Amino acid sequence: MKEKMEKMKQKYMDIPIPQELNFVVQQAIRKHRPKRSGRKWAAGAAAAALVFVAGLNTSQAFADTLSEVPVLGELVKVLTFRTYHYEDKGFQANVEVPAITNMDNKELQESLNSKYLEESKQLYTSFMADMEKIKAEHPDAHMGVDSGFVVKTDNEQILSVGRYVVNIAGSSSTTFQYDTIDKKNQLLITLPSLFKDDRYINLITANIKEQMLQRMKDQPGTMFWVEGGSQQVPNMELFKSIKKDQTFYINPQGKLVIVFQKYEVGPGVMGVPEFVIPTSVIQDDLSTHAYLTSE
């Protein structure tokens, strides 16, 4: 087992930093590089910008953690694969990349991990490009991006992982995307796959509208853009229906949780709204009863 672990560890340690990110980082350094060379240049560059792109190939802490993970008999897990970090005065980026490990379904595992890495690379490179434009015109501006992941559920059958992105440029915006995995059967659970047909869209939508109205009644200051509410918003902005592939996760209690993005169904003060759907509402339309528990 030790020999296999060492090979696994070495394989991860050999993963290179993406060339696209190396290019962006070098460009950022060159823009701050003074004409003189030597120690004075090194000190000046360090003072001008802190650029840190770390991964398994540079993170000894993570490598140490990895070395403690058993190869055999380990459950599916989500770990930090790599972190991209940049900081220079009012500009800051922190992008943490998750990785699913120990799945028997290697095709699914690689598909998810590739998606996470590509999304993170794109987020980081977009930030760097936008930052250079803004910095050229407004050097004292503030801009940031923070991205990472949370594990909502991790039990014998379900792993629900949420990836979040917080963009800060004057005001802030937040998005969440979830992946829910059936660890026993090695499957990615989608919202449509939970149901026999599309009737779930209307069933869940009706229940969420009821919950919105009840929350506004019970909790002063709560506001959703829903018909029947007291808020004054154009009809086109009212919440009409969830999407067929609406973001969701299954919580530790075995309940379906529907998630909306910031500003999707209410003002920014509402953050990222979540609604727990009673299983009784969707019981008859479920394609399987393996994941959701009854009341």
Side-chain angles (χ1 to χ4, degrees), residues 138-208:
H138 307 285
D140 295 327
H142 288 76
M143 175 183 173
V145 62
D146 181 36
S147 178
F149 66 94
V150 295
V151 177
K152 286 289 191 178
T153 305
D154 187 3
N155 55 37
E156 290 185 0
Q157 180 152 35
I158 297 295
L159 175 65
S160 285
V161 182
R163 290 119 48 226
Y164 63 85
V165 177
V166 180
N167 283 293
I168 303 172
S171 60
S172 66
S173 65
T174 305
T175 60
F176 256 98
Q177 298 294 332
Y178 288 91
D179 285 318
T180 295
I181 298 169
D182 175 346
K183 295 197 291 187
K184 287 185 177 180
N185 296 300
Q186 301 285 300
L187 298 172
L188 179 66
I189 303 172
T190 66
L191 192 59
S193 73
L194 289 172
F195 300 95
K196 300 173 183 177
D197 51 46
D198 290 350
R199 286 181 294 179
Y200 72 90
I201 296 175
N202 290 332
L203 292 173
I204 294 176
T205 295
N207 181 261
I208 288 177

Side-chain angles (χ1 to χ4, degrees), residues 245-272:
D245 59 348
Q246 188 73 39
T247 300
F248 79 99
Y249 65 89
I250 296 174
N251 69 17
Q253 292 72 44
K255 302 300 181 184
L256 178 65
V257 182
I258 297 296
V259 181
F260 294 95
Q261 307 304 340
K262 190 174 182 180
Y263 302 109
E264 188 175 1
V265 294
V269 68
M270 299 309 300
V272 179

Side-chain angles (χ1 to χ4, degrees), residues 11-267:
K11 180 179 178 182
Y12 281 150
M13 294 290 282
D14 289 340
I15 296 174
I17 296 172
Q19 293 182 359
E20 297 90 336
L21 287 175
N22 274 334
F23 174 78
V24 172
V25 170
Q26 294 303 321
Q27 287 291 94
I29 292 175
R30 279 197 290 269
K31 287 185 70 67
H32 293 289
R33 181 184 296 178
K35 295 181 180 179
R36 289 175 294 178
S37 59
R39 295 181 179 179
K40 291 185 178 180
W41 168 81
L50 170 63
V51 181
F52 177 63
V53 181
L56 294 179
N57 53 330
T58 57
S59 174
Q60 186 59 45
F62 185 81
D64 291 341
T65 300
L66 180 64
S67 67
E68 298 173 1
V69 178
V71 176
L72 302 176
E74 181 65 28
L75 295 176
V76 176
K77 295 289 184 182
V78 58
L79 305 171
T80 299
F81 173 72
R82 177 173 287 170
T83 299
Y84 303 133
H85 184 75
Y86 175 91
E87 186 172 352
D88 178 16
K89 298 180 180 178
F91 299 88
Q92 184 171 342
N94 190 68
V95 180
E96 188 178 29
V97 187
I100 307 295
T101 65
N102 300 321
M103 288 189 69
D104 294 329
N105 187 342
K106 297 305 180 185
E107 184 178 354
L108 176 58
Q109 177 175 295
E110 292 174 7
S111 174
L112 290 171
N113 290 342
S114 293
K115 177 178 69 171
Y116 300 155
L117 183 57
E118 289 303 316
E119 287 177 348
S120 299
K121 284 166 55 180
Q122 181 60 47
L123 180 65
Y124 187 81
T125 52
S126 294
F127 167 83
M128 294 296 288
D130 293 342
M131 178 198 68
E132 290 300 324
K133 294 178 182 178
I134 294 175
K135 186 183 292 186
E137 299 179 5
H138 307 285
D140 295 327
H142 288 76
M143 175 183 173
V145 62
D146 181 36
S147 178
F149 66 94
V150 295
V151 177
K152 286 289 191 178
T153 305
D154 187 3
N155 55 37
E156 290 185 0
Q157 180 152 35
I158 297 295
L159 175 65
S160 285
V161 182
R163 290 119 48 226
Y164 63 85
V165 177
V166 180
N167 283 293
I168 303 172
S171 60
S172 66
S173 65
T174 305
T175 60
F176 256 98
Q177 298 294 332
Y178 288 91
D179 285 318
T180 295
I181 298 169
D182 175 346
K183 295 197 291 187
K184 287 185 177 180
N185 296 300
Q186 301 285 300
L187 298 172
L188 179 66
I189 303 172
T190 66
L191 192 59
S193 73
L194 289 172
F195 300 95
K196 300 173 183 177
D197 51 46
D198 290 350
R199 286 181 294 179
Y200 72 90
I201 296 175
N202 290 332
L203 292 173
I204 294 176
T205 295
N207 181 261
I208 288 177
K209 288 181 178 180
E210 291 178 6
Q211 290 194 49
M212 287 178 171
L213 293 173
Q214 192 62 47
R215 286 191 196 181
M216 289 190 288
K217 179 180 178 181
D218 297 341
Q219 304 170 15
T222 299
M223 182 180 294
F224 294 109
W225 298 327
V226 59
E227 186 175 0
S230 59
Q231 72 281 3
Q232 299 295 319
V233 296
N235 183 66
M236 63 180 296
E237 294 184 8
L238 293 176
F239 168 57
K240 301 293 196 309
S241 173
I242 65 166
K243 296 187 286 289
K244 185 175 182 177
D245 59 348
Q246 188 73 39
T247 300
F248 79 99
Y249 65 89
I250 296 174
N251 69 17
Q253 292 72 44
K255 302 300 181 184
L256 178 65
V257 182
I258 297 296
V259 181
F260 294 95
Q261 307 304 340
K262 190 174 182 180
Y263 302 109
E264 188 175 1
V265 294

